[in-house]
Amino acid sequence: PLPFSNPVASFLLLASLPWQPHSVLRPSCADAEAASIASAGARERRRGSAARQQLFVRCQSERRQQQQLPRFCCGRKDVDLSENRLGKKGAKALSAVLHENTTLVTLKLSGNELNDQAAKYLADALLTNNKLESLDLSHNAFGESAGEVLGTAIAENAGMKELNLSWNCFRGQGAVAVAKGLGANIFLRVLDLSYNGFGNKGAAALGEALKINNVLEELNVGNNRISLEGALCLALGLKENKTLRCLSVTRNPIQSEGCIRILKAIQANPGAVLEVLDFSVGVNGWKGVRCGL
């Protein structure tokens, strides 16, 4: 309490005292760093929470897809599930559907992030399913292992007439296995293997398959890194094949000699029925310049 009861006197006394400013509280460097870390931690927690929420939503969506697949496919002849990110879990659910399928004829699974593990489920179903006639597995992530299991399924499948395996990564032994499966298959009419990595080994296996296959009518091996060596192997197969009507070898470095050897092989085959032979280098595959025979 002030020593004077008179307010004016009290004011004058205060005014005569030396003035000292109040000290401003400033955070220390350590405090600032701690606050920054805490803020960053809060942001990370919010991000993590959002990521977990997205993952939860995706898992729920995948689970619903898997539960709905049997219902969706039931009683239908044509089903298009392209671009649905089904993955291996979806492939597993589809495998169960195909094991019991009695109506499905056409199935499109393009662009579904199907990998080598997913291929095992699908191959298992194809070994027993004889109803499915057309299957599109293009634009997926199948690799060498997938080629090996699918090759076996192709060899033993007794119903499929059209198969699209384009835009995958069938190479090495996987490519050879697919080609061997073609050689043993007696139902397949149309096979699209474009935009893979068959190379010369795969082309050699395809040449052998064409010697013994007596049902295939259309084959697309465009953009498969097949060089002159591989073209000579294809020519050997075409020299004996009696059913192929359309062949696309577009965007392969087979050189002029490779083209000539293939043409001569066809001309030397009295039973050849080839109508369309595509050597074009355009990006549109079958829509490029064709050579009618």
Side-chain angles (χ1 to χ4, degrees):
L2 295 172
F4 303 103
S5 58
N6 188 332
V8 176
S10 300
F11 174 77
L12 292 173
L13 176 61
L14 287 172
S16 65
L17 295 174
W19 180 78
Q20 293 181 351
H22 292 289
S23 60
V24 179
L25 294 177
R26 299 179 183 274
S28 65
C29 293
D31 292 337
E33 186 178 355
S36 176
I37 292 173
S39 176
R43 285 196 299 271
E44 286 300 320
R45 284 194 295 275
R46 285 195 294 272
R47 266 195 221 106
S49 177
R52 285 193 295 273
Q53 181 67 20
Q54 290 175 357
L55 180 61
F56 175 76
V57 170
R58 180 172 178 180
C59 289
Q60 289 290 95
S61 175
E62 290 177 351
R63 191 174 294 111
R64 283 195 296 271
Q65 284 180 343
Q66 294 159 25
Q67 292 171 349
Q68 292 170 1
L69 277 175
R71 257 197 328 261
F72 183 74
C73 297
C74 182
R76 297 174 185 263
K77 288 186 176 181
D78 303 323
V79 172
D80 188 349
L81 294 171
S82 301
E83 306 296 338
N84 271 294
R85 302 199 320 191
L86 294 178
K88 66 177 182 180
K89 292 182 179 179
K92 184 177 182 180
L94 273 172
S95 178
V97 172
L98 292 173
H99 274 298
E100 301 177 2
N101 170 60
T102 58
T103 59
L104 194 60
V105 175
T106 301
L107 178 59
K108 296 180 180 180
L109 298 174
S110 178
N112 266 295
E113 300 178 4
L114 302 176
N115 56 17
D116 290 356
Q117 292 177 310
K120 295 178 182 178
Y121 295 118
L122 295 175
D124 184 50
L126 293 177
L127 288 172
T128 58
N129 183 289
N130 297 323
K131 281 288 184 180
L132 195 65
E133 295 182 2
S134 178
L135 177 61
D136 183 355
L137 294 175
S138 63
H139 292 272
N140 279 294
F142 295 128
E144 190 167 341
S145 298
E148 293 177 2
V149 295
L150 288 173
T152 302
I154 292 170
E156 299 186 25
N157 181 270
M160 195 176 306
K161 297 178 181 178
E162 184 173 347
L163 178 61
N164 188 348
L165 295 176
S166 64
W167 290 94
N168 280 286
C169 297
F170 295 115
R171 300 173 184 173
Q173 290 303 313
V176 172
V178 170
K180 287 183 176 179
L182 171 64
N185 185 282
I186 57 173
F187 292 92
L188 204 58
R189 299 287 191 275
V190 180
L191 178 60
D192 190 345
L193 298 173
S194 61
Y195 289 88
N196 278 285
F198 264 55
N200 292 330
K201 287 185 178 180
L206 282 172
E208 292 299 318
L210 289 174
K211 291 179 182 179
I212 57 178
N213 182 283
N214 58 3
V215 291
L216 191 70
E217 296 178 1
E218 294 185 22
L219 176 62
N220 188 346
V221 291
N223 209 327
N224 264 289
R225 304 178 186 177
I226 299 172
S227 67
L228 174 58
E229 178 187 344
L232 298 181
C233 296
L234 288 174
L236 293 175
L238 293 170
K239 196 172 182 178
E240 299 183 29
N241 184 274
K242 295 178 176 58
T243 59
L244 198 64
R245 295 183 179 276
C246 296
L247 173 64
S248 174
V249 201
T250 63
R251 296 177 66 81
N252 281 296
I254 62 175
Q255 304 174 28
S256 298
E257 185 178 349
C259 298
I260 293 170
R261 293 292 288 272
I262 288 176
L263 287 169
K264 286 184 175 180
I266 297 169
Q267 291 174 342
N269 180 357
V273 294
L274 200 66
E275 299 170 354
V276 177
L277 178 58
D278 193 347
F279 286 140
S280 66
V281 293
V283 297
N284 292 323
W286 288 103
K287 296 180 181 179
V289 179
R290 299 180 183 182
C291 176
L293 299 177

